[in-house]
Amino acid sequence: MTDVTSLHLQLSGLLETLERERLERVCQVKKWLLVLAGVAGIAAIVAFHQYGTWSYGVFAGIAALLVVLVIASHQKGRFVGRFKVLVMPEMVRALGEELQYRSADYLDLSEFAECGLFMAPDRYTGSDLVEGYVGVTHVRFSLVHAEEEYTVTETVTGTDSDGHTTTRTETRTEYRTIFCGLLFSADCNKSFNGRTLITAGGSGFLSRMRSSHVALEDPRFSENFTVYGSDQVEARYLLTPSLMERIVELRSKVGKGLQLSFVNDRVYLALPMGLNAFRPSLWRRIDDIGSFAGYYGTLAFMIGLVDELSLNTRIWSKQA
């Protein structure tokens, strides 16, 4: 694994090229802002002289702002695309020669459902898939966003020109987040028949209905996590004192949202975060080592889970 300072130096040429591109894109957005602001200003003055009101000028200003936001979003999208083509693969390669990065791919919905930590989503997407081997352990992880659909019903009251009041019911479909963040999956190299869920509470309600609570003797671990398992003996066998200590240490690094599960010979780890984790800002220098270290640090942390959880320690063997 290459340290962040050395990698930043190695990629300095690419980063300088991207920084020039970023400045050009920012310049384009600013030019459009000036042009459209001028057009909106002229339209406001003309409208005021003709109609005696600034209302049309306000509308013109809002329209100009919306157009600039669309242009800025387009420029950022192209800039992020260049970053993911040029820089992200190099970061992943520096963390492991047997790792591959695909910006548009993400963990399958079937794997999200398999982890057992969350209810089945109605809408599911993601990005930034990393897959390959760390030592002898197969891993894959990506950003995912799972949402559930729900219906909102509202009563709308209105009055017509004759003063009659009418009431109608309107419904619309909206979505709320089940989980948004990094989902990590790794081979445990051990066959186990049941499933063990280590939750922070809330999200895995439907999954936990099919399992029973597992009481553990580690008070520090029990303060931070609730464990459910289909096989009590197997759950205690998997959650050794040393592993529970490592999980508690991980939680201290990443926060309260950390959840894990052991299902179908794999360990899953869910870490909440925004979908912009690997999307650089158009308004901040891309060659700054602080920004660079943030992206690289997130990737390094996920790859480092193999060591944090001692997954390369092959003390288990799969059943034939």
Side-chain angles (χ1 to χ4, degrees), residues 172-218:
R172 66 180 186 273
T173 298
E174 294 188 358
Y175 292 87
R176 56 185 161 222
T177 295
I178 298 170
F179 173 75
C180 181
L182 281 165
L183 184 63
F184 173 90
S185 169
D187 177 23
C188 277
N189 197 35
K190 177 185 185 292
S191 293
F192 45 89
N193 298 318
R195 65 178 183 173
T196 300
L197 311 178
I198 306 164
T199 75
S203 300
F205 174 73
L206 296 178
S207 296
R208 297 198 296 272
M209 287 179 63
R210 300 191 291 271
S211 303
S212 58
H213 178 259
V214 179
L216 298 168
E217 296 180 356
D218 187 327

Side-chain angles (χ1 to χ4, degrees), residues 107-108 110-118 140-141 182-188 192 195-198 247 258-271 302 305 309 311:
L107 268 66
D108 291 339
S110 60
E111 189 152 24
F112 178 86
E114 183 182 77
C115 81
L117 292 168
F118 309 100
R140 52 180 174 263
F141 64 88
L182 281 165
L183 184 63
F184 173 90
S185 169
D187 177 23
C188 277
F192 45 89
R195 65 178 183 173
T196 300
L197 311 178
I198 306 164
I247 293 173
L258 177 69
Q259 300 190 89
L260 300 94
S261 66
F262 292 85
V263 183
N264 292 338
D265 299 350
R266 296 187 74 83
V267 57
Y268 294 90
L269 183 145
L271 179 61
M302 299 305 293
L305 288 173
L309 300 176
L311 298 178

Side-chain angles (χ1 to χ4, degrees), residues 237-282:
Y237 176 59
L238 288 168
L239 292 173
T240 63
S242 61
L243 180 57
M244 286 191 287
E245 183 179 350
R246 292 190 187 97
I247 293 173
V248 171
E249 289 175 357
L250 276 178
R251 182 187 181 279
S252 68
K253 296 177 182 177
V254 301
K256 297 180 180 180
L258 177 69
Q259 300 190 89
L260 300 94
S261 66
F262 292 85
V263 183
N264 292 338
D265 299 350
R266 296 187 74 83
V267 57
Y268 294 90
L269 183 145
L271 179 61
M273 64 173 56
L275 286 177
N276 290 328
F278 304 117
R279 293 175 59 87
S281 170
L282 188 64

